Amino acid sequence: MIPFDFEYYRPGTVREAVDIYRQLDEAGQAPVYYSGGSELISMARVGNRTFSAVIDIKSIPECRALDFCGEDLIIGAGVTLHELIVSDKFPLLGKTAGRIADHTMQNKITFGGNLASTIIYRETALPLLLTDAAVTAAGTGGLRTREISSLFDGRLQLPRGEFFVQAAIRREFVRAPYFHEKKTKNEKIDYPLLTTDALVFNGRLRVAFSGLAAYPFRDKGAESLLNDAGLAYASRAENVAKVLEGIVLDNSNGSAAYRRFVLKNTLVNILESVKEANIPCLC
């Protein structure tokens, strides 16, 4: 049970959602946008989060989109992880979503909820970072679309009063050769010790990580080292580990030394997989 009262709104349009937020904010209330709500509800139940009103965006058509529009795959913030998995619209994203939580929670956690989560992993961000996805957000100024690199710094960085509406991924990325590897401390379903997503695009290997640092990220400098065809796979992996050394987590889930060990093995595995699959790659 949530130990406080709050108002519930379920707008049918982006404009209505923004207007409700503005009106509540001007009245001195503390509204929050709500897509999946699993984390919000859990935090409220234990007293870690309070709010006076929730604005549920799941009835907004743009937030429920999951299909191609021209050359872009559009994915709405209100699409559940389960829907991402079974649709197979974007195999790498579906594979990544399929390793987040269990089946029951995958029916509750939404794409937007995972990206905006207070939990540090936010693994659905990895395929977006790898594909230079375009992210659309809504606020009092209307809809704004920007490349994810300008909005995502560990988590979605949206101005107060804005909410994530949808992401667009170019079709050419969606079917690119990809690799996904998740290592956990104990169980298959657990927070990642290291989640690595990679894909090959225009003959280059792109790679992004969750669990290695206190935030998910893609590092283009590390990618350059990984694509250095003049070095052996192990040497490239070692160079990447050295470059990223300063941000590697060291906690009860795994020491920094162990994470670096897992990282190097994972990178070598990916490079070997590219070669074994005869994927055209300068790496």
Side-chain angles (χ1 to χ4, degrees):
M1 175 183 289
I2 296 177
F4 55 85
D5 294 330
F6 60 92
E7 297 173 4
Y8 174 83
Y9 298 87
R10 195 178 178 98
T13 67
V14 169
R15 182 74 263 168
E16 186 182 356
V18 172
D19 286 344
I20 291 171
Y21 186 98
R22 178 182 52 80
Q23 292 165 11
L24 293 170
D25 189 49
E26 290 176 352
Q29 294 183 256
V32 294
Y33 290 113
Y34 168 107
S35 58
S38 56
E39 181 180 303
L40 188 69
I41 292 169
S42 297
M43 293 177 70
R45 282 174 174 166
V46 297
N48 290 336
R49 185 74 186 269
T50 61
F51 40 82
S52 60
V54 296
I55 303 169
D56 188 342
I57 64 173
K58 291 194 296 295
S59 290
I60 299 173
E62 291 90 339
C63 295
R64 293 290 303 146
L66 180 56
D67 210 345
F68 286 93
C69 180
E71 291 304 305
D72 290 331
L73 172 64
I74 308 300
I75 306 175
V79 173
T80 67
L81 299 187
H82 177 70
E83 289 169 328
L84 291 175
I85 297 162
V86 300
S87 74
D88 199 34
K89 299 286 187 182
F90 185 5
L92 175 56
L93 181 56
K95 187 77 170 180
T96 304
R99 294 295 308 279
I100 299 172
D102 59 20
H103 179 72
T104 299
M105 291 307 298
Q106 288 166 2
N107 281 291
K108 298 178 181 180
I109 300 170
T110 60
F111 179 45
N114 183 257
L115 284 176
S117 174
T118 60
I119 299 171
I120 66 172
Y121 304 105
R122 307 179 195 104
E123 291 162 271
T124 56
L126 303 184
L128 302 188
L129 294 169
L130 292 177
T131 58
D132 304 320
V135 174
T136 298
T140 55
L143 293 171
R144 294 198 298 165
T145 301
R146 289 155 285 181
E147 187 175 309
I148 190 168
S149 60
S150 68
L151 282 178
F152 193 91
D153 184 10
R155 64 182 298 178
L156 277 178
Q157 304 290 333
L158 297 178
R160 187 168 177 270
E162 283 195 9
F163 69 94
F164 168 54
V165 177
Q166 57 186 211
I169 300 97
R170 299 201 309 273
R171 188 187 295 268
E172 57 189 336
F173 281 113
V174 168
R175 296 295 170 180
Y178 72 89
F179 305 89
H180 169 84
E181 195 163 329
K182 180 172 181 175
K183 301 293 186 182
T184 60
K185 182 178 180 181
N186 295 310
E187 303 294 335
K188 179 180 179 181
I189 299 172
D190 196 1
Y191 291 133
L193 182 69
L194 174 65
T195 293
T196 306
D197 277 3
L199 59 77
V200 178
F201 183 72
N202 286 341
R204 301 280 290 179
L205 186 63
R206 299 182 174 202
V207 63
F209 309 99
S210 173
L212 185 66
Y215 45 84
F217 70 97
R218 174 189 175 194
D219 188 300
K220 294 184 180 180
E223 286 179 0
S224 295
L225 296 172
L226 199 59
N227 282 279
D228 186 353
L231 293 177
Y233 294 165
S235 297
R236 296 187 223 177
E238 181 67 38
N239 288 342
V240 171
K242 287 179 180 177
V243 165
L244 301 178
E245 185 173 16
I247 63 172
V248 177
L249 278 175
D250 190 327
N251 57 25
S252 59
N253 198 36
S255 68
Y258 185 58
R259 279 190 166 89
R260 287 193 295 270
F261 171 78
V262 173
L263 169 65
K264 288 185 285 187
N265 283 345
T266 298
L267 294 177
V268 170
N269 289 342
I270 290 172
L271 287 166
E272 289 177 343
S273 296
V274 172
K275 182 179 181 180
E276 291 170 4
N278 292 316
I279 297 169
C281 183
L282 298 177
C283 65

